[in-house]
Amino acid sequence: MTTLAQKNGRTARIMALVAIGMVGLAFASVPLYRLFCQVTGFGGTTQMRVGTDAPGEVVGKIINVRFDANTNSALPWSFLPEQHIERAAIGARKMAFYEAKNLSDKPFTGTATFNVTPVQAGQYFAKIQCFCFTEQTLQPGQSIRMPVVYYVDPKILDDPDASKISEITLSYTFYPVDSADKQS
């Protein structure tokens, strides 16, 4: 026969395992969500197609690509696209540039995140080369040009929710990396 103390001990062990599992899931949630978004295009996440070529231009099908740049207030950089809008043939490989400049008298390291709007276009906006999620360290006053190589997948024309999109916005936001450690 099981005693009350044994039942309470078993319940305590189960609750401890549940708590440990929840903490582990909390730590894994960000990378798992990022992976989910990259695979599905959910939330305007673009598709990374490293090392692949664009499928080729769809003649007569043009879409405007708008470039947006933001900087977290804790990062003393200017960050701008070189061109704010570009006409792109669907399926054609294109390249755009962003420029970042450290406006401070100290070296700063930043990393960029991105998104695409409208969200229906995220799964069709494919980046072949990108500076996102790569740490960039800029010395005082240093500027850097950063390329983005991309294309709009022709499959966008087959999607009833995305086929009428005439403009896609690619937005980047730069954030400081380990600001307490690296900038002291």
Side-chain angles (χ1 to χ4, degrees):
M1 195 161 253
T2 307
T3 67
L4 183 59
Q6 289 173 326
K7 287 181 182 179
N8 287 344
R10 183 175 36 183
T11 301
R13 286 189 298 277
I14 290 171
M15 289 297 113
L17 287 174
V18 168
I20 290 169
M22 290 175 73
V23 169
L25 193 58
F27 280 105
S29 64
V30 171
L32 289 174
Y33 180 74
R34 181 178 292 154
L35 178 65
F36 170 77
C37 290
Q38 288 173 342
V39 169
T40 65
F42 181 77
T45 302
T46 65
Q47 302 297 300
M48 274 305 279
R49 301 211 173 106
V50 178
T52 63
D53 292 323
E57 179 179 342
V58 176
V59 177
K61 301 294 183 179
I62 303 292
I63 196 162
N64 290 330
V65 179
R66 181 175 299 278
F67 302 100
D68 179 54
N70 303 285
T71 309
N72 180 277
S73 62
L75 188 64
W77 288 8
S78 70
F79 175 56
L80 297 168
E82 288 187 356
Q83 187 173 346
H84 290 281
I85 194 163
E86 183 173 79
R87 291 176 47 82
I90 293 177
R93 180 179 185 265
K94 299 288 286 182
M95 183 183 299
F97 286 92
Y98 283 78
E99 183 173 333
K101 181 175 184 177
N102 182 350
L103 302 175
S104 77
D105 59 353
K106 297 178 186 173
F108 271 88
T109 300
T111 188
T113 61
F114 64 90
N115 72 345
V116 171
T117 54
V119 294
Q120 301 91 334
Q123 63 185 319
Y124 303 109
F125 193 90
K127 292 187 300 177
I128 298 170
Q129 179 185 343
C130 174
F131 55 86
C132 52
F133 303 120
T134 303
E135 291 185 9
Q136 307 287 337
T137 300
L138 298 181
Q139 298 303 314
Q142 181 184 4
S143 294
I144 186 172
R145 283 180 83 211
M146 297 172 285
V148 177
V149 180
Y150 70 93
Y151 66 91
V152 178
D153 194 316
K155 293 177 186 171
I156 194 171
L157 300 172
D158 300 328
D159 184 336
D161 293 329
S163 63
K164 302 293 185 216
I165 293 173
S166 61
E167 184 172 276
I168 296 173
T169 300
L170 175 62
S171 180
Y172 285 96
T173 302
F174 254 102
Y175 294 92
V177 174
D178 298 327
S179 58
D181 299 331
K182 294 194 177 192
Q183 279 78 343
S184 48

PDB file of all heavy atoms in Angstrom, residues 53-82:
ATOM      1  N   ASP A  53      21.026  29.850 -56.988  1.00  0.00           N
ATOM      2  CA  ASP A  53      20.827  30.908 -57.963  1.00  0.00           C
ATOM      3  C   ASP A  53      19.353  31.257 -58.040  1.00  0.00           C
ATOM      4  O   ASP A  53      18.484  30.460 -57.697  1.00  0.00           O
ATOM      5  CB  ASP A  53      21.308  30.454 -59.349  1.00  0.00           C
ATOM      6  CG  ASP A  53      22.811  30.278 -59.395  1.00  0.00           C
ATOM      7  OD1 ASP A  53      23.518  31.076 -58.750  1.00  0.00           O
ATOM      8  OD2 ASP A  53      23.285  29.357 -60.075  1.00  0.00           O
ATOM      9  N   ALA A  54      19.075  32.446 -58.528  1.00  0.00           N
ATOM     10  CA  ALA A  54      17.695  32.850 -58.751  1.00  0.00           C
ATOM     11  C   ALA A  54      17.137  32.027 -59.910  1.00  0.00           C
ATOM     12  O   ALA A  54      17.876  31.608 -60.805  1.00  0.00           O
ATOM     13  CB  ALA A  54      17.635  34.335 -59.067  1.00  0.00           C
ATOM     14  N   PRO A  55      15.827  31.782 -59.909  1.00  0.00           N
ATOM     15  CA  PRO A  55      15.250  30.932 -60.950  1.00  0.00           C
ATOM     16  C   PRO A  55      15.230  31.567 -62.336  1.00  0.00           C
ATOM     17  O   PRO A  55      15.110  30.875 -63.328  1.00  0.00           O
ATOM     18  CB  PRO A  55      13.828  30.687 -60.458  1.00  0.00           C
ATOM     19  CG  PRO A  55      13.547  31.771 -59.502  1.00  0.00           C
ATOM     20  CD  PRO A  55      14.856  32.170 -58.908  1.00  0.00           C
ATOM     21  N   GLY A  56      15.357  32.867 -62.423  1.00  0.00           N
ATOM     22  CA  GLY A  56      15.331  33.551 -63.715  1.00  0.00           C
ATOM     23  C   GLY A  56      14.118  34.452 -63.809  1.00  0.00           C
ATOM     24  O   GLY A  56      13.061  34.175 -63.250  1.00  0.00           O
ATOM     25  N   GLU A  57      14.301  35.537 -64.512  1.00  0.00           N
ATOM     26  CA  GLU A  57      13.289  36.579 -64.625  1.00  0.00           C
ATOM     27  C   GLU A  57      12.007  36.079 -65.285  1.00  0.00           C
ATOM     28  O   GLU A  57      12.045  35.363 -66.275  1.00  0.00           O
ATOM     29  CB  GLU A  57      13.884  37.722 -65.445  1.00  0.00           C
ATOM     30  CG  GLU A  57      12.956  38.874 -65.672  1.00  0.00           C
ATOM     31  CD  GLU A  57      13.621  39.982 -66.469  1.00  0.00           C
ATOM     32  OE1 GLU A  57      14.864  40.008 -66.552  1.00  0.00           O
ATOM     33  OE2 GLU A  57      12.888  40.804 -67.027  1.00  0.00           O
ATOM     34  N   VAL A  58      10.883  36.481 -64.695  1.00  0.00           N
ATOM     35  CA  VAL A  58       9.578  36.265 -65.322  1.00  0.00           C
ATOM     36  C   VAL A  58       9.297  37.539 -66.109  1.00  0.00           C
ATOM     37  O   VAL A  58       9.098  38.613 -65.540  1.00  0.00           O
ATOM     38  CB  VAL A  58       8.473  36.008 -64.269  1.00  0.00           C
ATOM     39  CG1 VAL A  58       7.123  35.898 -64.938  1.00  0.00           C
ATOM     40  CG2 VAL A  58       8.784  34.765 -63.457  1.00  0.00           C
ATOM     41  N   VAL A  59       9.321  37.445 -67.420  1.00  0.00           N
ATOM     42  CA  VAL A  59       9.211  38.613 -68.281  1.00  0.00           C
ATOM     43  C   VAL A  59       7.896  39.348 -68.026  1.00  0.00           C
ATOM     44  O   VAL A  59       6.826  38.747 -67.973  1.00  0.00           O
ATOM     45  CB  VAL A  59       9.316  38.213 -69.768  1.00  0.00           C
ATOM     46  CG1 VAL A  59       9.134  39.417 -70.673  1.00  0.00           C
ATOM     47  CG2 VAL A  59      10.656  37.538 -70.032  1.00  0.00           C
ATOM     48  N   GLY A  60       8.016  40.669 -67.820  1.00  0.00           N
ATOM     49  CA  GLY A  60       6.847  41.512 -67.647  1.00  0.00           C
ATOM     50  C   GLY A  60       6.274  41.544 -66.245  1.00  0.00           C
ATOM     51  O   GLY A  60       5.299  42.243 -65.999  1.00  0.00           O
ATOM     52  N   LYS A  61       6.849  40.814 -65.319  1.00  0.00           N
ATOM     53  CA  LYS A  61       6.341  40.793 -63.942  1.00  0.00           C
ATOM     54  C   LYS A  61       7.340  41.527 -63.045  1.00  0.00           C
ATOM     55  O   LYS A  61       8.403  41.016 -62.737  1.00  0.00           O
ATOM     56  CB  LYS A  61       6.136  39.360 -63.437  1.00  0.00           C
ATOM     57  CG  LYS A  61       5.163  38.556 -64.271  1.00  0.00           C
ATOM     58  CD  LYS A  61       3.754  39.123 -64.159  1.00  0.00           C
ATOM     59  CE  LYS A  61       2.784  38.267 -64.948  1.00  0.00           C
ATOM     60  NZ  LYS A  61       1.422  38.719 -64.873  1.00  0.00           N
ATOM     61  N   ILE A  62       6.964  42.729 -62.653  1.00  0.00           N
ATOM     62  CA  ILE A  62       7.826  43.595 -61.855  1.00  0.00           C
ATOM     63  C   ILE A  62       7.166  43.836 -60.502  1.00  0.00           C
ATOM     64  O   ILE A  62       5.949  43.963 -60.410  1.00  0.00           O
ATOM     65  CB  ILE A  62       8.045  44.956 -62.560  1.00  0.00           C
ATOM     66  CG1 ILE A  62       8.633  44.772 -63.966  1.00  0.00           C
ATOM     67  CG2 ILE A  62       8.900  45.897 -61.718  1.00  0.00           C
ATOM     68  CD1 ILE A  62      10.043  44.244 -64.000  1.00  0.00           C
ATOM     69  N   ILE A  63       8.003  43.914 -59.476  1.00  0.00           N
ATOM     70  CA  ILE A  63       7.522  44.237 -58.138  1.00  0.00           C
ATOM     71  C   ILE A  63       8.475  45.264 -57.538  1.00  0.00           C
ATOM     72  O   ILE A  63       9.670  45.244 -57.829  1.00  0.00           O
ATOM     73  CB  ILE A  63       7.414  42.962 -57.273  1.00  0.00           C
ATOM     74  CG1 ILE A  63       6.575  43.214 -56.044  1.00  0.00           C
ATOM     75  CG2 ILE A  63       8.782  42.421 -56.915  1.00  0.00           C
ATOM     76  CD1 ILE A  63       6.076  41.929 -55.387  1.00  0.00           C
ATOM     77  N   ASN A  64       7.940  46.192 -56.776  1.00  0.00           N
ATOM     78  CA  ASN A  64       8.780  47.162 -56.086  1.00  0.00           C
ATOM     79  C   ASN A  64       9.268  46.555 -54.772  1.00  0.00           C
ATOM     80  O   ASN A  64       8.486  45.949 -54.039  1.00  0.00           O
ATOM     81  CB  ASN A  64       8.019  48.449 -55.787  1.00  0.00           C
ATOM     82  CG  ASN A  64       7.734  49.248 -57.034  1.00  0.00           C
ATOM     83  OD1 ASN A  64       8.484  49.206 -57.996  1.00  0.00           O
ATOM     84  ND2 ASN A  64       6.637  49.980 -57.028  1.00  0.00           N
ATOM     85  N   VAL A  65      10.555  46.730 -54.490  1.00  0.00           N
ATOM     86  CA  VAL A  65      11.122  46.301 -53.219  1.00  0.00           C
ATOM     87  C   VAL A  65      11.593  47.560 -52.505  1.00  0.00           C
ATOM     88  O   VAL A  65      12.419  48.306 -53.024  1.00  0.00           O
ATOM     89  CB  VAL A  65      12.284  45.304 -53.412  1.00  0.00           C
ATOM     90  CG1 VAL A  65      12.870  44.910 -52.059  1.00  0.00           C
ATOM     91  CG2 VAL A  65      11.817  44.074 -54.169  1.00  0.00           C
ATOM     92  N   ARG A  66      11.013  47.790 -51.330  1.00  0.00           N
ATOM     93  CA  ARG A  66      11.356  48.956 -50.507  1.00  0.00           C
ATOM     94  C   ARG A  66      12.322  48.490 -49.414  1.00  0.00           C
ATOM     95  O   ARG A  66      12.145  47.429 -48.840  1.00  0.00           O
ATOM     96  CB  ARG A  66      10.102  49.548 -49.887  1.00  0.00           C
ATOM     97  CG  ARG A  66      10.359  50.777 -49.040  1.00  0.00           C
ATOM     98  CD  ARG A  66       9.070  51.385 -48.543  1.00  0.00           C
ATOM     99  NE  ARG A  66       8.205  51.815 -49.617  1.00  0.00           N
ATOM    100  CZ  ARG A  66       8.322  52.981 -50.268  1.00  0.00           C
ATOM    101  NH1 ARG A  66       9.287  53.808 -49.946  1.00  0.00           N
ATOM    102  NH2 ARG A  66       7.473  53.299 -51.221  1.00  0.00           N
ATOM    103  N   PHE A  67      13.339  49.291 -49.161  1.00  0.00           N
ATOM    104  CA  PHE A  67      14.349  48.957 -48.167  1.00  0.00           C
ATOM    105  C   PHE A  67      14.228  49.915 -46.989  1.00  0.00           C
ATOM    106  O   PHE A  67      14.194  51.131 -47.163  1.00  0.00           O
ATOM    107  CB  PHE A  67      15.755  49.025 -48.782  1.00  0.00           C
ATOM    108  CG  PHE A  67      15.905  48.114 -49.956  1.00  0.00           C
ATOM    109  CD1 PHE A  67      15.810  48.600 -51.248  1.00  0.00           C
ATOM    110  CD2 PHE A  67      16.103  46.757 -49.773  1.00  0.00           C
ATOM    111  CE1 PHE A  67      15.928  47.750 -52.342  1.00  0.00           C
ATOM    112  CE2 PHE A  67      16.219  45.900 -50.854  1.00  0.00           C
ATOM    113  CZ  PHE A  67      16.124  46.401 -52.145  1.00  0.00           C
ATOM    114  N   ASP A  68      14.172  49.342 -45.801  1.00  0.00           N
ATOM    115  CA  ASP A  68      13.985  50.110 -44.575  1.00  0.00           C
ATOM    116  C   ASP A  68      15.130  49.773 -43.628  1.00  0.00           C
ATOM    117  O   ASP A  68      15.592  48.630 -43.588  1.00  0.00           O
ATOM    118  CB  ASP A  68      12.635  49.728 -43.949  1.00  0.00           C
ATOM    119  CG  ASP A  68      12.366  50.465 -42.662  1.00  0.00           C
ATOM    120  OD1 ASP A  68      12.431  51.703 -42.665  1.00  0.00           O
ATOM    121  OD2 ASP A  68      12.093  49.799 -41.646  1.00  0.00           O
ATOM    122  N   ALA A  69      15.582  50.769 -42.858  1.00  0.00           N
ATOM    123  CA  ALA A  69      16.684  50.555 -41.917  1.00  0.00           C
ATOM    124  C   ALA A  69      16.364  51.248 -40.598  1.00  0.00           C
ATOM    125  O   ALA A  69      15.923  52.397 -40.580  1.00  0.00           O
ATOM    126  CB  ALA A  69      17.982  51.108 -42.498  1.00  0.00           C
ATOM    127  N   ASN A  70      16.589  50.524 -39.507  1.00  0.00           N
ATOM    128  CA  ASN A  70      16.354  51.051 -38.171  1.00  0.00           C
ATOM    129  C   ASN A  70      17.543  50.685 -37.293  1.00  0.00           C
ATOM    130  O   ASN A  70      18.196  49.679 -37.520  1.00  0.00           O
ATOM    131  CB  ASN A  70      15.086  50.438 -37.566  1.00  0.00           C
ATOM    132  CG  ASN A  70      13.888  50.679 -38.445  1.00  0.00           C
ATOM    133  OD1 ASN A  70      13.360  51.767 -38.503  1.00  0.00           O
ATOM    134  ND2 ASN A  70      13.487  49.654 -39.186  1.00  0.00           N
ATOM    135  N   THR A  71      17.775  51.499 -36.274  1.00  0.00           N
ATOM    136  CA  THR A  71      18.854  51.238 -35.334  1.00  0.00           C
ATOM    137  C   THR A  71      18.310  51.376 -33.922  1.00  0.00           C
ATOM    138  O   THR A  71      17.641  52.363 -33.615  1.00  0.00           O
ATOM    139  CB  THR A  71      20.014  52.239 -35.526  1.00  0.00           C
ATOM    140  OG1 THR A  71      20.378  52.265 -36.897  1.00  0.00           O
ATOM    141  CG2 THR A  71      21.222  51.860 -34.709  1.00  0.00           C
ATOM    142  N   ASN A  72      18.593  50.405 -33.090  1.00  0.00           N
ATOM    143  CA  ASN A  72      18.221  50.475 -31.687  1.00  0.00           C
ATOM    144  C   ASN A  72      18.898  51.691 -31.068  1.00  0.00           C
ATOM    145  O   ASN A  72      20.057  51.986 -31.377  1.00  0.00           O
ATOM    146  CB  ASN A  72      18.650  49.181 -30.985  1.00  0.00           C
ATOM    147  CG  ASN A  72      18.303  49.167 -29.528  1.00  0.00           C
ATOM    148  OD1 ASN A  72      19.042  49.713 -28.714  1.00  0.00           O
ATOM    149  ND2 ASN A  72      17.204  48.519 -29.200  1.00  0.00           N
ATOM    150  N   SER A  73      18.210  52.387 -30.177  1.00  0.00           N
ATOM    151  CA  SER A  73      18.742  53.624 -29.602  1.00  0.00           C
ATOM    152  C   SER A  73      20.023  53.413 -28.792  1.00  0.00           C
ATOM    153  O   SER A  73      20.776  54.364 -28.578  1.00  0.00           O
ATOM    154  CB  SER A  73      17.675  54.302 -28.742  1.00  0.00           C
ATOM    155  OG  SER A  73      17.310  53.447 -27.669  1.00  0.00           O
ATOM    156  N   ALA A  74      20.293  52.193 -28.348  1.00  0.00           N
ATOM    157  CA  ALA A  74      21.518  51.917 -27.590  1.00  0.00           C
ATOM    158  C   ALA A  74      22.740  51.742 -28.490  1.00  0.00           C
ATOM    159  O   ALA A  74      23.865  51.606 -27.990  1.00  0.00           O
ATOM    160  CB  ALA A  74      21.328  50.667 -26.732  1.00  0.00           C
ATOM    161  N   LEU A  75      22.551  51.740 -29.790  1.00  0.00           N
ATOM    162  CA  LEU A  75      23.658  51.564 -30.731  1.00  0.00           C
ATOM    163  C   LEU A  75      23.887  52.889 -31.459  1.00  0.00           C
ATOM    164  O   LEU A  75      23.046  53.318 -32.260  1.00  0.00           O
ATOM    165  CB  LEU A  75      23.317  50.456 -31.737  1.00  0.00           C
ATOM    166  CG  LEU A  75      24.427  50.003 -32.671  1.00  0.00           C
ATOM    167  CD1 LEU A  75      25.582  49.376 -31.899  1.00  0.00           C
ATOM    168  CD2 LEU A  75      23.884  49.002 -33.680  1.00  0.00           C
ATOM    169  N   PRO A  76      25.023  53.548 -31.219  1.00  0.00           N
ATOM    170  CA  PRO A  76      25.260  54.870 -31.812  1.00  0.00           C
ATOM    171  C   PRO A  76      25.743  54.800 -33.263  1.00  0.00           C
ATOM    172  O   PRO A  76      26.844  55.218 -33.600  1.00  0.00           O
ATOM    173  CB  PRO A  76      26.329  55.469 -30.886  1.00  0.00           C
ATOM    174  CG  PRO A  76      27.108  54.281 -30.416  1.00  0.00           C
ATOM    175  CD  PRO A  76      26.104  53.160 -30.303  1.00  0.00           C
ATOM    176  N   TRP A  77      24.917  54.247 -34.105  1.00  0.00           N
ATOM    177  CA  TRP A  77      25.232  54.106 -35.523  1.00  0.00           C
ATOM    178  C   TRP A  77      24.199  54.841 -36.355  1.00  0.00           C
ATOM    179  O   TRP A  77      23.032  54.950 -35.972  1.00  0.00           O
ATOM    180  CB  TRP A  77      25.180  52.640 -35.950  1.00  0.00           C
ATOM    181  CG  TRP A  77      26.283  51.760 -35.470  1.00  0.00           C
ATOM    182  CD1 TRP A  77      27.263  52.049 -34.579  1.00  0.00           C
ATOM    183  CD2 TRP A  77      26.492  50.402 -35.871  1.00  0.00           C
ATOM    184  NE1 TRP A  77      28.078  50.966 -34.397  1.00  0.00           N
ATOM    185  CE2 TRP A  77      27.627  49.941 -35.174  1.00  0.00           C
ATOM    186  CE3 TRP A  77      25.842  49.549 -36.735  1.00  0.00           C
ATOM    187  CZ2 TRP A  77      28.127  48.656 -35.332  1.00  0.00           C
ATOM    188  CZ3 TRP A  77      26.331  48.267 -36.881  1.00  0.00           C
ATOM    189  CH2 TRP A  77      27.470  47.830 -36.203  1.00  0.00           C
ATOM    190  N   SER A  78      24.630  55.260 -37.537  1.00  0.00           N
ATOM    191  CA  SER A  78      23.660  55.596 -38.575  1.00  0.00           C
ATOM    192  C   SER A  78      23.586  54.357 -39.456  1.00  0.00           C
ATOM    193  O   SER A  78      24.599  53.673 -39.667  1.00  0.00           O
ATOM    194  CB  SER A  78      24.086  56.829 -39.374  1.00  0.00           C
ATOM    195  OG  SER A  78      25.202  56.546 -40.187  1.00  0.00           O
ATOM    196  N   PHE A  79      22.413  54.048 -39.923  1.00  0.00           N
ATOM    197  CA  PHE A  79      22.211  52.837 -40.725  1.00  0.00           C
ATOM    198  C   PHE A  79      21.129  53.140 -41.740  1.00  0.00           C
ATOM    199  O   PHE A  79      19.999  53.454 -41.376  1.00  0.00           O
ATOM    200  CB  PHE A  79      21.811  51.680 -39.799  1.00  0.00           C
ATOM    201  CG  PHE A  79      21.447  50.403 -40.505  1.00  0.00           C
ATOM    202  CD1 PHE A  79      22.328  49.790 -41.380  1.00  0.00           C
ATOM    203  CD2 PHE A  79      20.216  49.808 -40.282  1.00  0.00           C
ATOM    204  CE1 PHE A  79      21.994  48.615 -42.017  1.00  0.00           C
ATOM    205  CE2 PHE A  79      19.872  48.629 -40.912  1.00  0.00           C
ATOM    206  CZ  PHE A  79      20.763  48.033 -41.781  1.00  0.00           C
ATOM    207  N   LEU A  80      21.494  53.092 -43.024  1.00  0.00           N
ATOM    208  CA  LEU A  80      20.565  53.472 -44.089  1.00  0.00           C
ATOM    209  C   LEU A  80      20.746  52.583 -45.313  1.00  0.00           C
ATOM    210  O   LEU A  80      21.853  52.130 -45.600  1.00  0.00           O
ATOM    211  CB  LEU A  80      20.812  54.923 -44.525  1.00  0.00           C
ATOM    212  CG  LEU A  80      20.598  56.008 -43.486  1.00  0.00           C
ATOM    213  CD1 LEU A  80      21.165  57.322 -43.978  1.00  0.00           C
ATOM    214  CD2 LEU A  80      19.115  56.141 -43.179  1.00  0.00           C
ATOM    215  N   PRO A  81      19.659  52.386 -46.063  1.00  0.00           N
ATOM    216  CA  PRO A  81      19.832  51.725 -47.360  1.00  0.00           C
ATOM    217  C   PRO A  81      20.405  52.731 -48.350  1.00  0.00           C
ATOM    218  O   PRO A  81      20.128  53.929 -48.254  1.00  0.00           O
ATOM    219  CB  PRO A  81      18.398  51.332 -47.742  1.00  0.00           C
ATOM    220  CG  PRO A  81      17.535  52.335 -47.043  1.00  0.00           C
ATOM    221  CD  PRO A  81      18.258  52.696 -45.776  1.00  0.00           C
ATOM    222  N   GLU A  82      21.217  52.257 -49.279  1.00  0.00           N
ATOM    223  CA  GLU A  82      21.743  53.170 -50.296  1.00  0.00           C
ATOM    224  C   GLU A  82      20.646  53.598 -51.261  1.00  0.00           C
ATOM    225  O   GLU A  82      20.685  54.684 -51.808  1.00  0.00           O
ATOM    226  CB  GLU A  82      22.907  52.523 -51.046  1.00  0.00           C
ATOM    227  CG  GLU A  82      24.151  52.417 -50.203  1.00  0.00           C
ATOM    228  CD  GLU A  82      25.361  51.932 -50.974  1.00  0.00           C
ATOM    229  OE1 GLU A  82      25.243  51.586 -52.170  1.00  0.00           O
ATOM    230  OE2 GLU A  82      26.445  51.873 -50.360  1.00  0.00           O
TER     231      GLU A  82
END
